[in-house]
Amino acid sequence: MSRQVVTRFAPSPTGMLHIGGVRTALFCWLFARRHGGRFILRIEDTDLSRSTDDNIRIIEDGMVWCGLDWDEGPVVGDPGRWKGPNGPYRQMQRMDLYRAKIQELLGKGLAYRCRCSREVLEERRKTVEAAGKVFKYNRGMDRGKGCADANHDASQPAAIRFRMPEDGDILVPDLIKGDTRFPADSLDDWIIARTGEGPGDIGVPTYNFCVVVDDTDMEVTHVIRGDDHLNNTPKQMPLFAAFSADLPAFAHVPMILGADGAKLSKRHGATSITEYQAMGLLPSAVRLALARLSWTPKIDGRAVGSAEEELLTDDQMIQLFDLADCQKSAARFDMDKLQWLNQKLIQRSPWTELEPHLRPFLPESWASKSDAWKAQAIQATQKGKSLTDMAEALRFAFEHPTAFDEKAVEKFMTPTVKPALREVRDLTDYSHEALEAAFTAILEKHGLKTKDLAQALRVALCGRPVSPGIYDTLMLVGQVEVVARLERWL
């Protein structure tokens, strides 16, 4: 490639960060990293009725949590700062550039002021649709003249429309979908700026206009986005030409469906990235699961097949990612597969990698624990399916039990086990080797099985007969607290 690859993720801050958007961002990120390029985060906030600073922060925080770092874009939490040479990266802070570009098009005769009122256009729409036809702006009658059947004052505020080609087809080449043709006469002269406040004013530019100006200004080489934007592309391509700008390569990623084949929604489970974070999923598991939606990685020309091959690292995904290996059809999201990946990645991750992700689910006192204690706690609970499972499995280490499983008490806290509990209470050496030797001696002395003593200890220390290995449980509770908890039963 002659130019450095530049991709961008450009969400609208109108709600939560949907996993479909995260999948798009991930593809942009992987492609840029694969080719040693730049990845831009750009906020498209021209929808003034729905865009909020809180929603922008949700996007920023979600991207940070997902591990999708951007080379250019906003500084997290600071609307007035950004990194990169092409800022600002929020559209509402780029209005001067947009208005200058619109003025340029007006000067070239490639755009014009449209004084058709909303009411007149709506009435015309109803008439056309009532006749069973598809409404579109009547370019021949309306260009710059206002509606022919109404008296319009030329001094009235006006929207601004872009002159679209009238003949032939607009061919949209796509790296995933292939070529799509759109007849030029099926497309309107679309509004590039909403009606301004007064005569001659240029109102707030529209999304389809701003995105072209931004992609041109930021030298974006590859526009990777959801296929719901495919119909925008034939509108945008003539605008690139109007600015004498290089056309980026387009790749429209298919939508994500639920397991039942319907559009992914709340009834299929979590749909926002914040919800997956709260469920205790690892960012690496989410990245891997989303990457596999519509993309089939290939190793030496062969699609990955085994379960072990599926557990790709970020470096492997970057090395293997190719838009040519993305499917055209919609992908089905499999929550069970995500949870399986999450469990596998938890099991194989070093404790130091898990600790920052587990920390938010644990009490503040976790921070005061030694590294050795933290390592033991994490390693003792790494069979959990999620970080929330691990945190729940560690609750005994932070909380003195206040309720006890009655059936477990009746079954395991028997008169024959209490003498053994007293001997455990009196132990002072809590190294793994010492505990194992002491247990062997205590069990032999009292004629007990390991399960008899271990389950009784779990009930006394945790309130229920479930915990990590009994030696880990004792060591994590600690001698002083073990003695205090056993006193209740002795």
Side-chain angles (χ1 to χ4, degrees):
M1 298 181 184
S2 57
R3 292 194 292 164
Q4 182 189 37
V5 166
V6 180
T7 65
R8 49 70 165 179
F9 175 53
S12 298
T14 55
M16 305 303 289
L17 181 57
H18 192 277
I19 60 168
V22 176
R23 193 269 304 265
T24 298
L26 175 63
F27 280 18
C28 293
W29 183 83
L30 287 171
F31 191 81
R33 297 289 176 260
R34 170 75 176 83
H35 295 284
R38 304 194 325 268
F39 171 58
I40 298 172
L41 174 62
R42 191 174 72 218
I43 305 299
E44 299 187 343
D45 57 349
T46 57
D47 186 344
L48 302 181
S49 64
R50 300 172 64 202
S51 298
T52 67
D53 286 342
D54 286 344
N55 286 340
I56 292 174
R57 187 60 188 268
I58 287 171
I59 290 171
E60 293 171 347
D61 289 346
M63 292 284 287
V64 169
W65 179 79
C66 286
L68 302 180
D69 56 313
W70 53 93
D71 304 297
E72 297 183 35
V75 170
V76 177
D78 190 341
R81 296 176 58 213
W82 59 84
K83 60 178 180 178
N86 299 301
Y89 294 88
R90 291 174 58 168
Q91 287 185 334
M92 287 307 296
Q93 296 174 346
R94 298 170 62 83
M95 287 294 118
D96 289 346
L97 172 62
Y98 301 144
R99 290 189 171 111
K101 290 293 185 180
I102 288 172
Q103 198 64 57
E104 177 185 332
L105 294 177
L106 287 169
K108 293 178 178 179
L110 298 176
Y112 58 91
R113 298 184 183 277
C114 171
R115 297 176 180 85
C116 302
S117 70
R118 180 178 300 178
E119 292 76 17
V120 168
L121 289 174
E122 185 59 30
E123 185 63 32
R124 195 183 305 165
R125 180 188 303 276
K126 290 178 181 177
T127 301
V128 170
E129 291 180 350
K133 300 179 181 179
V134 177
F135 172 77
K136 66 177 181 177
Y137 184 73
N138 189 327
R139 292 182 288 192
M141 180 170 65
D142 298 329
R143 278 187 168 171
K145 298 180 294 186
C147 298
D149 56 352
N151 295 319
H152 283 267
D153 184 345
S155 66
Q156 287 180 344
I160 297 174
R161 292 183 183 268
F162 176 66
R163 291 183 185 273
M164 288 286 289
E166 297 186 45
D167 302 315
D169 292 341
I170 296 177
L171 178 66
V172 178
D174 192 286
L175 296 175
I176 294 176
K177 293 183 173 297
D179 292 347
T180 304
R181 290 183 180 274
F182 294 84
D185 62 7
S186 69
L187 302 168
D188 290 8
D189 284 355
W190 50 281
I191 293 176
I192 60 177
R194 300 174 181 92
T195 302
E197 294 182 3
D201 287 347
I202 296 175
V204 176
T206 58
Y207 158 79
N208 272 315
F209 177 80
C210 296
V211 72
V212 172
V213 173
D214 290 341
D215 286 345
T216 301
D217 187 59
M218 298 177 187
E219 300 179 320
V220 171
T221 61
H222 291 75
V223 173
I224 303 170
R225 57 188 178 187
D227 62 4
D228 54 325
H229 287 280
L230 178 60
N231 288 336
N232 290 327
T233 310
K235 294 181 179 181
Q236 295 168 357
M237 289 175 62
L239 190 54
F240 279 102
F243 289 130
S244 300
D246 291 334
L247 193 68
F250 293 99
H252 291 91
V253 181
M255 68 186 300
I256 301 175
L257 305 177
D260 58 358
K263 184 178 180 180
L264 191 66
S265 66
K266 283 286 186 182
R267 68 187 179 87
H268 297 106
T271 56
S272 79
I273 202 65
T274 306
E275 292 174 287
Y276 288 104
Q277 182 179 2
M279 289 167 60
L281 299 176
L282 290 173
S284 56
V286 174
R287 287 195 299 271
L288 182 53
L290 291 180
R292 294 304 311 277
L293 294 176
S294 303
W295 173 52
T296 302
K298 294 180 179 178
I299 300 175
D300 297 328
R302 174 185 54 81
V304 297
S306 68
E308 188 65 24
E309 285 181 334
E310 284 194 88
L311 298 173
L312 298 171
T313 65
D314 283 344
D315 286 343
Q316 288 173 319
M317 285 197 291
I318 290 170
Q319 181 181 0
L320 297 174
F321 187 74
D322 191 334
L323 289 170
D325 296 329
C326 293
Q327 65 192 45
K328 300 178 183 180
S329 57
R332 297 197 182 196
F333 182 73
D334 187 341
M335 188 64 194
D336 291 338
K337 182 64 172 292
L338 171 55
Q339 291 174 327
W340 177 82
L341 289 171
N342 194 62
Q343 184 174 24
K344 291 296 183 183
L345 292 176
I346 284 177
Q347 290 172 353
R348 62 169 49 192
S349 296
W351 79 269
T352 50
E353 291 183 9
L354 289 176
E355 194 276 336
H357 301 295
L358 179 62
R359 190 187 308 152
F361 297 95
L362 294 168
E364 291 183 3
S365 56
W366 170 267
S368 64
K369 301 293 186 180
S370 68
D371 283 352
W373 191 94
K374 291 177 182 177
Q376 184 176 12
I378 290 174
Q379 290 163 0
T381 55
Q382 262 181 289
K383 292 182 180 180
K385 293 182 179 180
S386 67
L387 299 171
T388 50
D389 285 351
M390 293 177 67
E392 174 62 21
L394 285 172
R395 185 155 53 91
F396 73 91
F398 301 95
E399 299 177 8
H400 194 291
T402 56
F404 296 85
D405 184 324
E406 294 182 2
K407 291 183 178 180
V409 169
E410 181 180 357
K411 181 176 181 179
F412 299 114
M413 300 303 286
T414 63
T416 57
V417 83
K418 289 192 176 182
L421 292 178
R422 292 190 183 94
E423 293 198 34
V424 173
R425 177 195 61 188
D426 296 335
L427 296 176
T428 57
D429 187 344
Y430 269 50
S431 67
H432 190 282
E433 296 78 8
L435 286 174
E436 186 174 12
F439 261 63
T440 299
I442 293 170
L443 293 172
E444 184 176 345
K445 176 179 178 180
H446 296 281
L448 297 171
K449 296 180 180 179
T450 301
K451 179 181 178 181
D452 299 328
L453 181 55
Q455 294 298 77
L457 280 168
R458 288 189 171 98
V459 171
L461 300 177
C462 309
R464 56 182 184 171
V466 178
S467 78
I470 194 59
Y471 304 141
D472 285 322
T473 300
L474 288 164
M475 294 164 73
L476 292 171
V477 172
Q479 183 196 1
V480 173
E481 185 64 17
V482 167
V483 171
R485 296 186 191 187
L486 284 177
E487 285 298 330
R488 174 191 178 101
W489 306 96
L490 302 178

